């Protein structure tokens, strides 16, 4: 009896094993013969319903379950969730502003308000000051995990702000552009209006009429360069104006620094001429002194030659 049972079990096992290997053997042939995109899709569709991995709804169900399983003191407080929501709103407002001010660059002049707002809420999040209910959001929002997403997001935007050197154009305390920046914008406006007025037809008129305002703009810019009150907005607008002037309008460059350069280089140009001239005169003088005793003799021979020729 016992032996029969064992034999039956063995047969059953063998049969089961056969069935397994046959399915395993069949699958590669399917894969091999139908490696087209359509075939793969069909295969995926056939496998998906049986496989738990392919259930997107079940995944979120699990994570929800996990989240609600944390005890209350590990959860983020309502106050911090609220701060995070405000941070998100201000972040996207600021990013939208940056993107729409990317070309031509108006990042500093258009977005300093939204930047201020974002900075303010981040200060609230990162301060160790206790909010209502004795909670500080710094630990729970900023450094509870390896990714530190909020910190990372904010830091990236701050890098953009620093790289633009917007702080040179915005007075921090007053929440406005600096007077230097406003003055530059007004001067730039003057030049652009002049360009607009004379843009039609002959550009040589434009070059003549707008030269004064354009030179003034360049001088103001180089003064600001020395004062280190430049930000990307000003740099870019000056860059574009210079390109407009020299490439589009074909005007010459009337920069004040050119005048001494031209003076010095023309002086250098004349130096060899002056040198040769002076050395020639000098040697002539010496020759006259050396020749002096024989002068009478050579003079008579010269006269002789002239006599013979005539
Ligand atoms: C952020 O902090 C400032 C002062 O620390 C406070 O006046 C302001 O209400 C705070 N903002 C929020 C949303 O809690
Ligand atoms: C906050 O904590 C301080 C001590 O850490 C305590 O004196 C104060 O009563 C607490 N306030 C609230 C609202 O729990
Ligand atoms: C900027 O100009 C305004 C008015 O022209 C003046 O009231 C203000 O004091 C100036 N600010 C600075 C920092 O010079
Ligand atoms: C420059 O001119 C435009 C109109 O051409 C005007 O809207 C703008 O306010 C002016 N900007 C400055 C700084 O004067
Ligand atoms: C532009 O005007 C100047 C005189 O104002 C003239 O000499 C020149 O030939 C004109 N050039 C063109 C391309 O019309
Ligand atoms: C440069 O700075 C000096 C003082 O630091 C100031 O008097 C001058 O107006 C500034 N120039 C410009 C173009 O901002
Ligand atoms: C000026 O424009 C040129 C050409 O577009 C660019 O390569 C250069 O980086 C610009 N300079 C600044 C300071 O923006
Ligand atoms: C500018 O000058 C160059 C040669 O000096 C000429 O090839 C080009 O066509 C001119 N462009 C304009 C817009 O007049």
């Amino acid at each position: 009896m016992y032996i029969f049972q064992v034999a039956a079990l063995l047969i059953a096992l063998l049969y089961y094993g056969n069935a397994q290997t046959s399915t395993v053997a069949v699958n590669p042939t399917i894969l091999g013969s139908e490696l087209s995109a359509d075939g793969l899709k069909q295969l995926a569709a056939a496998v998906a319903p049986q496989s738990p991995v392919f259930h997107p709804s079940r995944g979120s169900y699990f994570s929800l379950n996990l989240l609600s399983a944390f005890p209350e003191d590990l959860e983020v407080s309502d106050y911090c969730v609220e701060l995070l929501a405000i941070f998100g709103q201000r972040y996207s407002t600021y990013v939208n502003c940056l993107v729409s001010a990317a070309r031509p660059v108006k990042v500093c002049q258009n977005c300093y308000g939204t930047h201020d707002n974002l900075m303010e809420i981040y200060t609230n999040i990162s301060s160790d000051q206790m909010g209502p209910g004795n909670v500080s959001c710094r630990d729970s929002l900023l450094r509870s995990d390896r990714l530190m997403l909020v910190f990372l997001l904010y830091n990236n935007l701050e890098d953009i702000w620093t790289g633009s050197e917007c702080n040179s154009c915005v007075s921090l305390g007053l929440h406005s552009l600096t007077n230097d920046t406003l003055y530059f914008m007004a001067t730039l406006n003057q030049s652009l209006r002049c360009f607009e007025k004379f843009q039609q037809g002959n550009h040589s008129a434009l070059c003549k009429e707008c030269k004064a305002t354009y030179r003034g703009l360049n001088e103001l810019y180089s003064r600001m360069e020395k004062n280190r009150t430049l930000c990307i907005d000003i740099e870019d607008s000056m860059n574009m104006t210079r390109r407009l002037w020299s490439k589009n309008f074909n005007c010459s460059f009337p920069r004040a620094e050119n005048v001494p350069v031209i003076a010095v280089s023309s002086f250098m140009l004349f130096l060899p001429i002056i040198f040769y001239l002076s050395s020639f005169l000098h040697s002539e003088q010496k020759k006259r002194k050396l020749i002096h005793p024989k002068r009478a003799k050579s003079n008579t021979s010269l006269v002789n030659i002239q006599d013979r020729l005539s």
Side-chain angles (χ1 to χ4, degrees), residues 72-73 75-80 82-83 128-137 140:
E72 192 131 314
D73 59 333
E75 293 230 29
V76 180
S77 74
D78 287 347
Y79 172 67
C80 296
E82 198 184 308
L83 281 191
D128 50 4
Q129 235 177 353
M130 296 293 171
N134 264 358
V135 286
S136 155
C137 301
S140 61

Side-chain angles (χ1 to χ4, degrees), residues 88-304:
Q89 276 168 6
R90 293 185 179 180
Y91 194 92
S92 62
T93 310
Y94 177 49
V95 168
N96 275 337
C97 181
L98 285 183
V99 169
S100 62
R103 261 338 298 172
V105 186
K106 290 183 189 307
V107 162
C108 303
Q109 43 190 312
N110 286 2
C111 303
Y112 67 87
T114 51
H115 175 260
D116 274 358
N117 289 340
L118 181 68
M119 214 164 67
E120 187 193 310
I121 196 71
Y122 188 78
T123 310
N124 282 30
I125 290 177
S126 62
S127 76
D128 50 4
Q129 235 177 353
M130 296 293 171
N134 264 358
V135 286
S136 155
C137 301
R138 187 176 59 178
D139 294 337
S140 61
L141 293 184
L142 291 189
R143 46 190 191 196
S144 289
D145 55 84
R146 177 172 63 81
L147 184 59
M148 306 201 294
L149 185 60
V150 175
F151 173 79
L152 204 61
L153 287 171
Y154 182 74
N155 248 30
N156 281 342
L157 286 197
E158 272 312 285
D159 285 350
I160 293 175
W161 187 257
T162 319
S164 318
E165 303 200 51
C166 284
N167 283 343
S168 309
C169 290
V170 178
S171 44
L172 275 178
L174 299 171
H175 302 289
S176 67
L177 294 174
T178 60
N179 281 355
D180 278 355
T181 307
L182 291 175
Y183 183 62
F184 178 85
M185 295 296 169
T187 313
L188 178 70
N189 246 15
Q190 248 180 2
S191 282
L192 292 182
R193 267 204 298 270
C194 182
F195 291 170
E196 231 167 72
K197 207 158 90 184
F198 294 99
Q199 210 162 12
Q200 261 73 41
N202 201 335
H203 282 166
S204 65
L206 184 148
C207 294
K208 210 161 69 189
E209 297 296 326
C210 302
K211 198 173 196 157
T213 53
Y214 180 69
R215 185 190 289 136
L217 182 69
N218 270 293
E219 281 165 6
L220 175 63
Y221 183 81
S222 51
R223 254 184 288 142
M224 291 177 81
E225 210 167 18
K226 282 188 198 114
N227 265 13
R228 300 193 170 279
T229 47
L230 290 180
C231 58
I232 187 64
D233 292 24
I234 293 177
E235 286 169 51
D236 181 65
S237 55
M238 192 68 227
N239 206 1
M240 296 219 295
T241 311
R242 279 176 177 165
R243 241 182 300 160
L244 206 61
W245 179 261
S246 54
K247 293 259 162 61
N248 291 33
F249 301 146
N250 261 0
C251 301
S252 60
F253 224 63
R255 278 216 269 179
E257 296 98 311
N258 281 1
V259 175
V261 169
I262 289 170
V264 168
S265 52
S266 46
F267 175 72
M268 296 296 229
L269 210 72
F270 277 107
L271 264 185
I273 297 171
I274 293 168
F275 172 76
Y276 282 120
L277 207 69
S278 65
S279 68
F280 173 73
L281 290 176
H282 193 69
S283 67
E284 196 71 346
Q285 236 172 7
K286 266 187 183 167
K287 218 191 274 174
R288 222 174 277 165
K289 271 182 195 162
L290 280 173
I291 288 170
H292 193 74
K294 292 183 177 175
R295 205 199 245 162
K297 207 177 180 183
S298 66
N299 264 0
T300 53
S301 65
L302 242 175
V303 167
N304 280 349

